Amino acid sequence: MTTNAPSTETVGLYGADASPDEQRAALREGRAPVAVYGMGKIGLPLALVYGETSGAVTGVDVDPERVAALADGNNPFEHEPGVSGLLSELVADGRFTSTTDGEAAAATARVHVIVVPTVIDGDDDPDLGALEAVTETVRSGLDPGDAVFVESTVPPGTCAEVIQPILTAGDREPGEFGLAHTPERTASGRALRDIRGSYPKVVGGVDAESGRVAALVYDEVSDNEVVRTDSARTAACVKLFEGVYRDVNIALANELATLTDAFDVDVIEAIEAANTQPYCDILTPGAGVGGHCIPYYPYFLLDGVADPAPLIRTARSVNELMPGFVVETLVDGLATDGPVEGATVALFGVAYRAGVPEARASPAIDVAHRLDRLGATVLAVDPILDELPEMPAERVDIDEITERDVDAAALVTAHEEFGHVDWRAFEREGPEGGRRGITVVDGRQALDLSETAHSVYTVGRGWR
Ligand SMILES: NC(=O)c1ccc[n+]([C@@H]2O[C@H](COP(=O)([O-])OP(=O)(O)OC[C@H]3O[C@@H](n4cnc5c(N)ncnc54)[C@H](O)[C@@H]3O)[C@@H](O)[C@H]2O)c1
Ligand SMILES: CC(=O)N[C@@H]1[C@@H](OP(=O)(O)OP(=O)(O)OC[C@H]2O[C@@H](n3ccc(=O)[nH]c3=O)[C@H](O)[C@@H]2O)O[C@H](CO)[C@@H](O)[C@@H]1O
C-alpha cells in the first residue's frame, strides 16, 4: 500500500501560521488537497462542489464499481441535476479523481471529508460501522495541520467520543489536527444546489481552532453563510433537532389524517387552510416516513438517553403505524368484494420518496409484508429503482401492470410516472354490462380517479 507523505508544497490549515487569506488561497489553489470519503448520493455532489473550489479533490469509496464509473466520468445518480456535467468537467480537468485506495488518498490530503452511511440496526441503535472504518483509513494518513470534517449525520458526541479516539490511536495527538462536525442539509434530488448554498452551513469543532478551520473552508466552498456552533456536539444536535422536528410534524399530520372519518372533513383541505397563517406549518399526511434521514434521526438523538422523551418516541410510533393504516383501509375496502386472502394487490411506489432511487426504510416494504401476512399477492411497481429491496412482492413493470388481474391497489410513493397509468384498465365487467372498479388507497394524495369506477380512499381525505 503506497503511503505518500504530503508533498512539501501542501498546506495544513489547522494551527497554521499563515493568515486566513493565505489559507483560503491555499485551499483554492489546490495546496490543501481534499479527500472525500463516501461517493454516495451526498458525497459525490459534495466532492464536486469541493472540486469547483479547490481543484484538487479525491473521491474515495470502497465500491470498485462506483470508483470505476466515476473515473470514467459516469454519474451514478441520474436523478441529481447538474452532477453529470460537473463530474465530466472536473474529471476532464483532472480536478476530481476517484480511488478505492483510501490510505493513499489520506496520505496526500490535508482536508478529510467523511460522508459515509450512518444508519440504525435491527435494534434501532445507531450503526456507525462504516464511519469507524473510514476513520481508521483517515488516521493512516493524518498529518499535523490536517482537518477532518464529519458530514455524516451522527449522534451527539460522536466526534469527540468516537472519531477523535480513533484518530489519536496512532501518531497524532489531540490539538495536532482539526476535527469538526459539518452536517449536510441536503435533500436528494437537489444535492448540488443545496450543497452550494441553499441553506446556512452549520459547523462545530471539537476545539475552537477546529471550528475556525471548518468555518473558513465552508465559507469558501458554499455560497451561503456559515453558522458556527460552540462544539461538534452542538452541531450534531442542530442537525438532529431539524430532523426530529420534521418527524414530529409529519406525525401530527398523520394522526390528523387517521381521524378524517371521525372529523368527517377533508383533513388535507383543513391543513392547507390552517397553514395560511404564519404560525402554522402542518406538513402532509402520507403512507409513512422512509429514507435514511428522518426515520433514523430520533434514534440518533436519543441514543444513550435514559429519559422517556415521550413526544419524540410517540411521534416515531405514529409514523411507523401509517403503513398499517394503509393496509387496514385497503382490507376494509376489499371486504365488499371478498377476503384479502388470495387477493392480488398492486403496490405503486417502493422508493421512500418520489423521484429518489432509494428504498431504505420505505413504508412500501412494511405495506408489502403486512399484505403478504394476510395472504395477498403483491405486485410492486417502481419505475426508478434499479432493484427492489428485500420484500414479499413480484416486481411488475409499469407498462405491464394494467395487463394483470388486480383486486386492489395502494399508492405509497407518488412517482410522477403513475399519473400516466391507464387506471381504467383495472376496471372489470360489472352486473348488467356496467363497469366495476377496484379498491384503491392513495397514500400520497396523488391520484384523480374521479372518471373511473374505482372506490378510492385518499389518506387525509377519506373515501370517494
Ligand atoms: N441522502 C440524503 O438526503 C442525506 C441528506 C443529509 C445527510 N445525509 C447523510 O450523509 C451520509 C451519507 O448518506 P448518502 O445518502 O450519501 O449514502 P449512500 O448510501 O448514498 O452512499 C454512501 C457511500 O459510502 C460508501 N462507503 C461505505 N463505507 C465506506 C468506507 N469505509 N470508505 C469509503 N466509502 C464508504 C458506499 O460504498 C457508498 O457509495 C449519511 O450519514 C446520511 O445520514 C444524507
Ligand atoms: C439534509 C437532510 O437530511 N435533508 C433531509 C431530506 O429528507 P428526506 O430526503 O428524507 O426527505 P423528506 O421530505 O424529509 O421525506 C422523508 C419521508 O417523509 C415523508 N414525508 C415527507 C414530508 C411530509 O410532509 N410528509 C411525509 O410523509 C416522505 O414521503 C418520505 O418518506 O430533505 C428534507 C427536506 O426535503 C430535510 O428536511 C431532511 O432533513
Side-chain angles (χ1 to χ4, degrees):
M1 184 73 64
T2 55
T3 51
N4 325 308
S7 51
T8 51
E9 67 267 19
T10 65
V11 173
L13 302 176
Y14 181 85
D17 296 330
S19 71
D21 285 347
E22 288 166 332
Q23 293 177 38
R24 293 171 186 272
L27 180 68
R28 285 196 306 274
E29 294 162 11
R31 289 182 286 116
V34 179
V36 180
Y37 305 81
M39 289 293 99
K41 295 185 295 301
I42 299 305
L44 174 59
L46 177 64
L48 298 178
V49 172
Y50 262 100
E52 283 184 312
T53 303
S54 74
V57 177
T58 303
V60 179
D61 206 289
V62 291
D63 178 352
E65 289 182 10
R66 175 64 49 83
V67 166
L70 296 178
D72 292 340
N74 296 330
N75 171 26
F77 307 114
E78 291 302 328
H79 69 287
E80 286 293 355
V83 169
S84 294
L86 186 54
L87 173 63
S88 301
E89 176 192 336
L90 295 182
V91 167
D93 293 349
R95 290 189 285 167
F96 172 80
T97 56
S98 56
T99 181
T100 55
D101 188 347
E103 294 191 352
T108 54
R110 305 312 304 271
V111 176
H112 307 267
V113 183
I114 298 174
V115 58
V116 296
T118 48
V119 294
I120 56 171
D121 64 19
D123 299 321
D124 291 336
D125 292 325
D127 175 357
L128 305 183
L131 181 66
E132 291 163 351
V134 79
T135 303
E136 301 270 356
T137 302
V138 172
R139 182 187 65 211
S140 71
L142 194 62
D143 293 292
D146 282 9
V148 180
F149 299 150
V150 177
E151 289 259 345
S152 299
T153 306
V154 292
T158 299
C159 281
E161 298 158 17
V162 176
I163 306 297
Q164 187 161 51
I166 295 173
L167 293 175
T168 53
D171 301 334
R172 299 281 73 79
E173 298 293 328
E176 281 191 303
F177 59 90
L179 175 57
H181 186 39
T182 58
E184 199 43 67
R185 285 170 152 178
T186 299
S188 291
R190 52 177 195 252
L192 267 190
R193 188 184 70 186
D194 287 351
I195 293 166
R196 280 173 172 151
S198 296
Y199 318 110
K201 179 69 176 180
V202 174
V203 303
V206 296
D207 54 40
E209 176 62 3
S210 296
R212 181 197 68 80
V213 172
L216 178 139
V217 168
Y218 280 97
D219 188 51
E220 280 300 304
V221 166
S222 55
D223 302 332
N224 214 322
E225 66 170 314
V226 175
V227 174
R228 189 173 154 191
T229 62
D230 71 332
S231 68
R233 173 181 282 272
T234 302
C237 283
V238 169
K239 174 63 187 168
L240 297 173
F241 286 7
E242 291 170 3
V244 168
Y245 164 79
R246 191 165 179 83
D247 200 42
V248 170
N249 189 323
I250 296 169
L252 171 62
N254 282 335
E255 182 154 291
L256 292 173
T258 63
L259 300 173
T260 297
D261 294 344
F263 296 145
D264 192 20
V265 300
D266 180 329
V267 164
I268 300 292
E269 178 193 2
I271 286 173
E272 288 169 352
N275 287 343
T276 57
Q277 59 98 8
Y279 309 108
C280 187
D281 181 21
I282 302 172
L283 291 176
T284 308
V289 176
H292 52 59
C293 292
I294 305 306
Y296 291 179
Y297 291 177
Y299 298 111
F300 282 11
L301 185 63
L302 298 180
D303 181 41
V305 171
D307 303 68
L311 176 61
I312 295 171
R313 298 182 198 278
T314 303
R316 191 82 295 279
S317 303
V318 167
N319 288 332
E320 286 168 353
L321 286 174
M322 290 313 288
F325 179 79
V326 166
V327 171
E328 287 157 21
T329 305
L330 187 137
V331 169
D332 291 347
L334 255 178
T336 53
D337 289 344
V340 62
E341 185 176 8
T344 297
V345 179
L347 194 164
F348 285 88
V350 177
Y352 82 92
R353 177 157 67 87
V356 178
E358 170 69 64
R360 256 180 280 205
S362 171
I365 300 169
D366 192 4
V367 167
H369 278 289
R370 290 171 180 269
L371 288 169
D372 180 61
R373 286 196 292 270
L374 290 172
T377 296
V378 180
L379 307 180
V381 183
D382 194 294
I384 72 162
L385 282 180
D386 289 339
E387 52 190 47
L388 290 192
E390 183 62 36
M391 62 195 284
E394 174 195 343
R395 181 167 202 173
V396 177
D397 190 276
I398 191 170
D399 298 327
E400 295 167 7
I401 188 65
T402 52
E403 296 161 15
R404 303 293 289 266
D405 186 16
V406 164
D407 300 302
L411 184 143
V412 176
T413 304
H415 293 311
E416 61 173 353
E417 292 84 350
F418 295 153
H420 310 301
V421 169
D422 174 14
W423 287 87
R424 297 203 59 174
F426 294 118
E427 294 176 346
R428 295 146 165 188
E429 286 297 321
E432 297 91 49
R435 303 293 294 165
R436 186 160 59 86
I438 64 171
T439 293
V440 178
V441 177
D442 178 359
R444 299 291 177 192
Q445 307 93 34
L447 301 172
D448 175 5
L449 302 183
S450 54
E451 298 303 312
T452 73
H454 300 316
S455 173
V456 183
Y457 184 94
T458 301
V459 170
R461 299 194 189 281
W463 288 104
R464 302 227 163 152

